[in-house]
């Protein structure tokens, strides 16, 4: 009977484990393996991105810190992102809602206006780090790799594909980056296979009324350049269907966060199943 109870608890809790804190910086992310092909046109075509988990970043979400005292409300500034992968490429979708968007003209310095920086590493050192810079209004990508000594200068990412469209206050950006491009820049190469686990964070500069910078998955009190402050980025199996990290629209970034409700439902379900099994066990033992 103990084995049956353990099996039921394991199965019930597995339902709640789609977003797990693997590292110091916050909630780990599972990048699902690509099922639906991506056409890089800055548009979400049908179910193109339904096979990827979503991250929502704004002032109402957990795992958000700010680089300074300037903070924007979720109504002013909200970003959703999705990642997926296959043996050839890393795929990225960003939808940025920004009521006062300031164009970042240079992908080499997206931090000077309203650009995006994604930091990824396969170890806690600079030798596995690869930074992805991109701008939305004039879509362009740049990358920054590292040596043992520190950062190299950012350079245009010639092998990447990027496209953006805008509807209202929302920019939709799609990117494909070949793993070969990433591994050509880093010293310690990425092992691209299901189960490989890296760490990452996202930096979102915003220059509305004043310059602010939103950080996702950077441990409070540590700088964004410290990989030990980031969270897990895992190459996972293809999804059976539906979002698992955050159930929200891919048309407009959401301000809702259902993670707590998912965890609560899973724990309650596990408790109910266990209580039922124990009750049957006691009845049979009398």
């Amino acid at each position: 009977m103990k084995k049956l109870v353990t099996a039921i608890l394991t199965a019930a809790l597995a339902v709640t484990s789609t977003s797990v804190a693997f590292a110091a910086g916050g909630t780990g992310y599972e990048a699902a393996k690509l099922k639906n092909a991506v056409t890089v046109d800055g548009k979400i075509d049908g179910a193109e991105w339904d096979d990827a988990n979503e991250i929502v970043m704004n002032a109402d979400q957990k795992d958000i810190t700010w680089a300074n005292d300037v903070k924007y409300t979720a109504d002013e500034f909200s970003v959703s992102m999705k990642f997926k992968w296959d043996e050839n490429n890393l795929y990225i979708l960003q939808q940025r809602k920004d009521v006062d968007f300031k164009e970042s003209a240079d992908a080499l310095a997206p931090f000077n206006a309203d650009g995006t920086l994604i930091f990824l590493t396969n170890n806690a050192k600079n030798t596995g780090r690869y930074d992805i810079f991109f701008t939305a209004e004039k879509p362009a990508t740049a990358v920054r790799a590292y040596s043992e000594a520190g950062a190299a200068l950012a350079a245009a990412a010639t092998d990447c594909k990027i496209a953006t469209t805008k509807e209202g206050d929302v920019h939709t950006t799609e990117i494909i980056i070949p793993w070969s491009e990433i591994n050509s820049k880093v010293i310690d190469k990425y092992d691209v296979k299901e189960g490989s686990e890296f760490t990452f964070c996202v930096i979102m500069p915003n220059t509305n009324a004043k310059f602010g910078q939103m950080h996702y998955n950077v441990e409070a009190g540590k700088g964004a350049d410290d990989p030990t402050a980031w969270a897990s980025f895992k190459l996972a199996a293809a999804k059976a269907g539906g979002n698992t990290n955050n159930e929200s629209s891919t048309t407009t970034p959401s301000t809702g966060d259902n993670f707590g409700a998912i965890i609560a439902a899973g724990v309650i379900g596990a408790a109910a199943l266990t209580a039922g099994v124990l009750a049957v066990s006691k009845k049979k033992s009398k």
Side-chain angles (χ1 to χ4, degrees):
M1 182 54 67
K2 285 184 178 179
K3 290 183 178 179
L4 178 58
V5 172
T6 301
I8 291 174
L9 275 170
T10 302
L13 291 174
V15 174
T16 71
S17 65
T18 56
S19 190
V20 180
F22 288 97
T27 302
Y29 180 78
E30 292 195 351
K33 192 169 185 180
L34 176 140
K35 287 170 60 179
N36 304 332
V38 173
T39 300
V40 181
D41 56 7
K43 302 173 184 177
I44 299 173
D45 303 312
E48 184 179 36
W49 287 94
D50 287 357
D51 57 340
N53 296 321
E54 184 174 46
I55 303 167
V56 176
M57 294 170 273
N58 59 49
D60 294 342
Q61 305 298 314
K62 63 190 183 73
D63 298 327
I64 296 296
T65 56
W66 299 85
N68 54 29
D69 292 334
V70 178
K71 301 177 182 180
Y72 293 102
T73 68
D75 289 335
E76 295 173 316
F77 183 39
S78 185
V79 179
S80 71
M81 298 190 80
K82 290 186 174 185
F83 300 84
K84 53 186 178 178
W85 69 283
D86 61 19
E87 287 77 6
N88 297 316
N89 301 305
L90 177 64
Y91 304 84
I92 303 170
L93 169 70
Q94 176 185 276
Q95 291 189 283
R96 178 181 182 128
K97 175 187 175 184
D98 192 340
V99 297
D100 187 18
F101 184 84
K102 299 291 192 305
E103 176 186 329
S104 183
D106 185 1
L108 298 177
F111 35 77
N112 288 336
D114 293 354
T116 300
L117 300 84
I118 301 169
F119 296 167
L120 183 71
T121 187
N122 56 30
N123 58 37
K125 303 181 297 181
N126 285 330
T127 52
R129 181 169 164 181
Y130 185 88
D131 296 348
I132 303 164
F133 297 171
F134 65 92
T135 54
E137 188 67 25
K138 292 181 178 178
T141 55
V143 298
R144 184 172 63 185
Y146 288 70
S147 67
E148 291 277 8
L153 295 176
T158 55
D159 292 335
C160 299
K161 297 179 181 178
I162 182 170
T164 297
T165 59
K166 183 180 180 184
E167 183 175 350
D169 294 327
V170 178
H171 285 85
T172 299
T173 303
E174 293 178 305
I175 302 173
I176 296 178
I177 302 179
W179 290 108
S180 58
E181 149 70 23
I182 295 174
N183 278 334
S184 72
K185 299 293 195 299
V186 296
I187 298 172
D188 293 336
K189 310 305 181 186
Y190 284 75
D191 187 12
V192 182
K193 65 182 182 181
E194 186 177 322
S196 289
E197 194 165 345
F198 316 130
T199 58
F200 84 120
C201 70
V202 181
I203 311 299
M204 300 297 307
N206 194 1
T207 54
N208 287 4
K210 296 181 179 179
F211 178 80
Q213 193 173 87
M214 181 170 66
H215 292 177
Y216 176 77
N217 271 349
V218 176
E219 183 182 2
K222 291 188 176 182
D225 280 317
D226 181 356
T228 66
W230 306 347
S232 168
F233 185 97
K234 186 175 182 179
L235 302 185
K239 290 178 57 177
N243 287 328
T244 59
N245 272 55
N246 193 311
E247 296 287 346
S248 55
S249 168
T250 57
T251 302
T252 303
S254 167
T255 58
D257 187 354
N258 295 322
F259 179 75
I262 294 170
I263 290 295
V267 172
I268 291 169
L273 284 168
T274 306
V277 171
L278 292 175
V280 171
S281 176
K282 287 180 180 178
K283 186 175 180 180
K284 286 184 176 181
S285 65
K286 289 183 180 179

